[in-house]
Amino acid sequence: MDVYSTGASHPARCPMYDGTFAADPQKVYDQIREHGPAGPVELAPGVDATLIVGHEMALRVLQNTSLFARDARRWAALNEGRVPLDSPVLAMMGYRPNCLFTDGAVHLRLRKAVTESLDRLNVTRIRRDVEPIAAYLIDKFSERGQADLIHDYAKLLPLLLFNKLFGCPADIGDTVTSAMSALFDGRDALRANDDLTAALMELISLKRREPGDDMTSWLIQHPAGLNDEELKDQLVMLMGAGVEPERNLIANALLRLLTQGGGDGRSMQIDEALDHVLLNDPPIANYATHYPLRDVDLGGLVAEANSPVVISFAGANRDLALTTADQGDSRGAHLSWGAGPHACPARGAAQVVASTAIEQLLNALPDVSLAVPAHELQWRPGPFHRALADLPVTFSPTPATRMAAALPPAARHPAPQTARVPETPAATAQTSARKGIWKQFLDLFRV
C-alpha cells in the first residue's frame, strides 16, 4: 500500500447531495480537514468516495499519473453492482471515451486535438461571438425591469455560445440547446442524451461535407484523425465542461459584484470578482475523480484500489496552509482550473466569456440590483457544482434595442422584399413558439 502521510482517524461519511451541504459546503470541508487532508463522503445515496480537501494532497493526486487513473471503468463499486444505475452522479462520473476519462497515449491524442482546436480561438473572436448573444438575451427582458439572471441570462448564454462555436445550424442548434438543458436539469436524461447524440452526429456529418470556421470543423480536420464517435464524445465533453461551469462563474461573479465593493470604498472590478469566485466559490467545487491503482493512505484515510477519489477544489483553495503561505497571490495557487495532465485547457477562453458577459449586462443595466436579500438566495443541491438556483434582480426598464446595434450592417438594412400579407398577432406568436431560441437568434442575422 502506498502511504502519502499519516493522520488521525476520520468521522462518519459526510453527505454531499442535500440542501444542508449546498447551503454551507465549507462546513463539511472544515470538518474533514480537522482530521486530515482527505475524508469519507457520500456523493449520492449509495455512492461512497474519498474527498481531498488539502491543497498539497490535491496536487499530489492530480499530478501522479503512475498511482491514480481517470478511467471510470476501473470503478469497482459500479462494476460490482453496488452503485444504483439510476444514480444522479453517473452522468458526471460514468466513463466516456473523451479527454476527461482517459489516460496515457489515448488521453494525449484526444487532448492534443481538443487543445489545438481551442487554441484557434482568440480574445477578439470570443468577444465577437459573446456580445451579440448577450445583447439578444438582455433585449428579451430589459423592458420588464426585472429578471432572473440565472434562467434568463447565465444559463442561456453559454448554450447559445457553444452553438456558435460548434457551427450549429438552426435545427441542430435548437436540439443541442434543449437536450443540454434537460441533461443539466435532470429532465428525462435518457431521452435528452439520445437527442443530443443524434444532433451531434448529424452536425459532424454536415461538417465533414461542408466544413466551416468552427470547433467541429477544426476537430474533424485535426491530424489526430478522430472518428465520428470520438468527435461526438469530445463535443459532449467540451459542452459539458463548458456550459455548467461558465453559467456558475458568470452568476457567482455577478452575485459578488451586486453584494460587495472593492473593500476600500471603491467598486469591485469584474476581474476581481472572477478571481474571488475562483478562489472562494469555484463554479465546479468538487470533481476530477481519480481511481487509485492500489490501496493508498491519504493522510490516515485509506482509499481502496479502484474507488473514487474526488478533488475538492473549493476545499483545497481554502486550505489554511495555502491561504497563509500565499496571502499575496492566492490567485496563482488556487486549483479551480485543475492541475497536472488533465488541467482545464480553456481557462483563458472561459474567463473572457465570463468577463464579456458580465460587462455587457452591467453596461446595459447600470442600476441592476438584487431583488431579495443575498442571504435568501438558494444554492442548487449537488456534490459537484457551486450553483445558485436563481438570481432575481430589478433595474430601470430600458428599450430592447441592443440587438439591432449588434447586427452586421447588411442585416440592419436588408434588401427590399416583395410585399406579403402580414401575419395576425396570433399567427406570429405561433410561429415564434415553433422556433427554438437558437433559430430565433439566427433569424435576426439573416439578410
Side-chain angles (χ1 to χ4, degrees):
M1 179 177 70
D2 287 79
V3 178
Y4 269 36
S5 62
T6 59
S9 59
H10 286 77
R13 290 191 183 276
C14 297
M16 295 177 59
Y17 50 85
D18 57 14
T20 301
F21 174 75
D24 190 7
Q26 286 295 339
K27 182 177 180 180
V28 171
Y29 307 147
D30 290 342
Q31 288 174 347
I32 292 173
R33 192 177 292 108
E34 289 176 2
H35 299 269
V41 295
E42 191 177 23
L43 300 175
V47 182
D48 295 342
T50 300
L51 188 71
I52 307 289
V53 297
H55 186 269
E56 181 183 2
M57 185 67 73
L59 273 177
R60 292 189 188 187
V61 173
L62 289 165
Q63 295 173 342
N64 190 336
T65 58
S66 64
L67 182 55
F68 295 94
R70 295 295 295 267
D71 191 334
R73 291 174 295 184
R74 294 180 173 274
W75 190 359
L78 180 62
N79 294 336
E80 295 164 7
R82 292 184 281 124
V83 174
L85 294 181
D86 62 351
S87 175
V89 299
L90 286 183
M92 292 282 284
M93 295 179 66
Y95 172 77
R96 293 178 186 268
N98 61 38
C99 295
L100 289 179
F101 298 102
T102 50
D103 301 293
V106 174
H107 170 254
L108 288 175
R109 172 174 168 266
L110 297 176
R111 184 177 171 91
K112 185 176 177 64
V114 169
T115 56
E116 292 184 358
S117 296
L118 284 169
D119 286 345
R120 297 179 67 167
L121 297 173
N122 56 42
V123 172
T124 301
R125 164 71 182 264
I126 294 169
R127 290 186 65 91
R128 186 189 74 201
D129 288 344
V130 171
E131 287 174 355
I133 294 173
Y136 169 68
L137 293 174
I138 295 167
D139 272 359
K140 291 175 75 68
F141 59 76
S142 66
E143 293 181 344
R144 300 201 311 254
Q146 60 183 9
D148 175 356
L149 292 184
I150 299 293
H151 297 283
D152 293 334
Y153 194 66
K155 175 182 177 180
L156 295 174
L157 188 143
L159 285 168
L160 298 182
L161 176 62
F162 270 90
N163 278 347
K164 184 72 169 68
L165 296 179
F166 287 0
C168 291
D171 291 342
I172 292 176
D174 278 336
T175 301
V176 169
T177 299
S178 60
M180 286 301 299
S181 295
L183 284 172
F184 284 127
D185 294 341
R187 293 182 283 107
D188 200 354
L190 290 177
R191 177 179 177 180
N193 187 67
D194 289 344
D195 290 346
L196 178 63
T197 297
L200 291 178
M201 293 301 282
E202 184 181 355
L203 176 65
I204 291 164
S205 177
L206 171 65
K207 292 299 178 179
R208 283 198 184 278
R209 300 191 309 270
E210 303 173 16
D213 184 27
D214 52 70
M215 284 286 299
T216 309
S217 300
W218 300 339
L219 283 168
I220 289 171
Q221 296 160 359
H222 192 273
L226 305 186
N227 62 39
D228 285 3
E229 283 293 323
E230 290 174 325
L231 287 164
K232 180 259 297 179
D233 286 316
Q234 306 325 301
L235 292 175
V236 171
M237 182 271 298
L238 282 166
M239 185 165 274
V243 170
E244 175 75 10
E246 196 69 55
R247 157 188 173 159
N248 299 338
L249 181 57
I250 293 169
N252 295 358
L254 278 170
L255 174 61
R256 179 70 180 176
L257 288 164
L258 294 175
T259 56
Q260 303 291 330
D264 57 2
R266 61 184 172 82
S267 297
M268 176 174 279
Q269 300 298 309
I270 293 174
D271 286 346
E272 289 180 277
L274 291 171
D275 288 338
H276 176 88
V277 166
L278 289 168
L279 180 63
N280 297 285
D281 276 318
I284 297 298
N286 310 288
Y287 199 43
T289 308
H290 289 69
Y291 298 88
L293 303 188
R294 47 191 176 272
D295 292 358
V296 57
D297 185 333
L298 300 173
L301 178 70
V302 175
E304 297 181 354
N306 299 318
S307 66
V309 173
V310 176
I311 305 298
S312 177
F313 305 119
N317 288 354
R318 296 287 289 273
D319 188 338
L320 184 62
L322 168 69
T323 55
T324 300
D326 295 277
Q327 285 177 347
D329 187 23
S330 56
R331 294 182 304 173
H334 73 68
L335 294 178
S336 298
W337 302 110
H342 285 86
C344 176
R347 58 184 299 176
Q351 289 193 248
V352 172
V353 171
S355 63
T356 304
I358 295 169
E359 175 187 328
Q360 292 292 301
L361 181 86
L362 297 181
N363 286 343
L365 309 172
D367 65 346
V368 63
S369 61
L370 284 179
V372 299
H375 68 267
E376 293 184 8
L377 295 172
Q378 300 294 310
W379 296 87
R380 285 164 48 211
F384 305 118
H385 54 234
R386 182 60 172 162
L388 287 162
D390 49 42
L391 187 58
V393 296
T394 59
F395 46 84
S396 298
T398 59
T401 57
R402 296 163 198 83
M403 189 63 203
L407 290 173
R412 290 180 220 158
H413 306 287
Q417 298 183 0
T418 57
R420 61 189 179 115
V421 177
E423 293 184 344
T424 65
T428 301
Q430 290 176 358
T431 300
S432 180
R434 287 194 298 268
K435 296 179 181 179
I437 190 170
W438 182 239
K439 189 175 192 304
Q440 294 176 47
F441 175 79
L442 290 180
D443 280 350
L444 292 172
F445 279 84
R446 288 187 178 157
V447 178

